[in-house]
Amino acid sequence: ARMPSIVQGALRQTASEPMMRSAKGEIKEQLRSMVKTTVRERSGPSFDERLQTAVQRRSESMKQMEKEQRERLEDAIASGQHKSVSESPIAAFARARIAPNHHKQAILLEERRRKMSEISKKYNKDKEAMRERLRAREPLFRVSDVAAAQETLARQAAKRRKELSDEEKKRWEQITEIELKVLNRPLLMEG
């Protein structure tokens, strides 16, 4: 399990080895950069580089297009404002010296207020007349009429009670008469 002496000698570090490592790293880096430049020259730019240049070109064209559109919009707004001032019906009214709309509205409002006042006065007058008719009307039932009606109802109730009592007496008499007939009559078994 001991290593042979030749292998042990190979594993030892030499004094120049750290220098060789740094030179080796430089050579690797140079080689890598040479390979990159050669590949780039032969195959062209990488996908990321091509994408970056395309994005840059597209953003420049979009900025230019946006600038043109903004200028077109500003021109359209300016011409629209000019047309609205010169060709609007309001400008024609201003040139014709027609009274502004708020004067007409004030006149209509005053007319409506006057009509509303008239309607309100008429309503109050009609309401007061109705209340006066209610106060002055003849009552539906007079005290004398109510007393007479109560007296009539009392007489009718007394009459009805008398009739019922007479009818009850009559029935009792009939029942008594039937009982007497039954008692005086011979039985079927006797006869």
Side-chain angles (χ1 to χ4, degrees):
R2 266 190 131 207
M3 291 176 113
S5 63
I6 298 173
V7 175
Q8 281 180 348
L11 290 178
R12 280 193 204 153
Q13 276 191 340
T14 59
S16 65
E17 191 174 336
M19 291 167 91
M20 282 181 73
R21 276 192 190 160
S22 67
K24 201 178 191 182
E26 287 176 17
I27 291 172
K28 274 186 178 181
E29 192 57 43
Q30 285 177 356
L31 186 62
R32 191 174 291 141
S33 76
M34 284 174 52
V35 168
K36 275 186 178 179
T37 55
T38 307
V39 168
R40 189 175 295 144
E41 287 171 0
R42 290 184 184 166
S43 66
S46 71
F47 175 76
D48 290 335
E49 291 171 342
R50 287 191 316 249
L51 181 67
Q52 185 65 28
T53 56
V55 165
Q56 204 169 23
R57 277 196 313 262
R58 184 68 178 166
S59 65
E60 287 174 6
S61 70
M62 292 295 281
K63 283 180 185 177
Q64 182 63 30
M65 188 187 310
E66 188 177 328
K67 183 180 176 186
E68 291 170 2
Q69 288 175 347
R70 192 175 292 121
E71 288 173 357
R72 228 180 301 148
L73 276 173
E74 289 170 356
D75 290 344
I77 289 170
S79 71
Q81 287 173 345
H82 177 70
K83 279 184 182 178
S84 74
V85 168
S86 65
E87 297 176 13
S88 77
I90 295 172
F93 278 121
R95 286 191 295 271
R97 306 251 182 213
I98 296 173
N101 192 34
H102 67 276
H103 290 301
K104 290 179 185 177
Q105 286 180 346
I107 292 169
L108 288 173
L109 182 65
E110 186 58 38
E111 187 178 322
R112 284 188 185 140
R113 282 184 182 153
R114 187 179 47 76
K115 284 182 182 177
M116 230 168 60
S117 173
E118 289 173 7
I119 291 170
S120 176
K121 285 177 184 175
K122 183 180 181 301
Y123 170 76
N124 288 333
K125 181 180 164 188
D126 291 347
K127 187 176 175 184
E128 189 58 39
M130 183 182 67
R131 284 185 179 162
E132 184 58 37
R133 281 194 311 269
L134 285 174
R135 278 191 294 258
R137 75 182 170 133
E138 198 169 306
L140 295 175
F141 303 105
R142 291 196 174 110
V143 175
S144 59
D145 293 342
V146 171
Q150 286 176 342
E151 187 177 312
T152 305
L153 285 173
R155 268 187 271 134
Q156 287 176 351
K159 182 180 174 186
R160 179 75 176 143
R161 275 194 300 273
K162 186 173 183 326
E163 287 173 0
L164 288 174
S165 131
D166 290 346
E167 190 176 325
E168 185 181 5
K169 282 181 189 177
K170 187 177 173 186
R171 300 255 180 203
W172 280 113
E173 286 174 3
Q174 286 175 349
I175 292 172
T176 314
E177 195 177 306
I178 291 173
E179 284 177 352
L180 287 176
K181 281 183 185 178
V182 168
L183 290 176
N184 292 336
R185 192 165 134 188
L187 295 176
L188 289 177
M189 295 187 319
E190 294 177 1

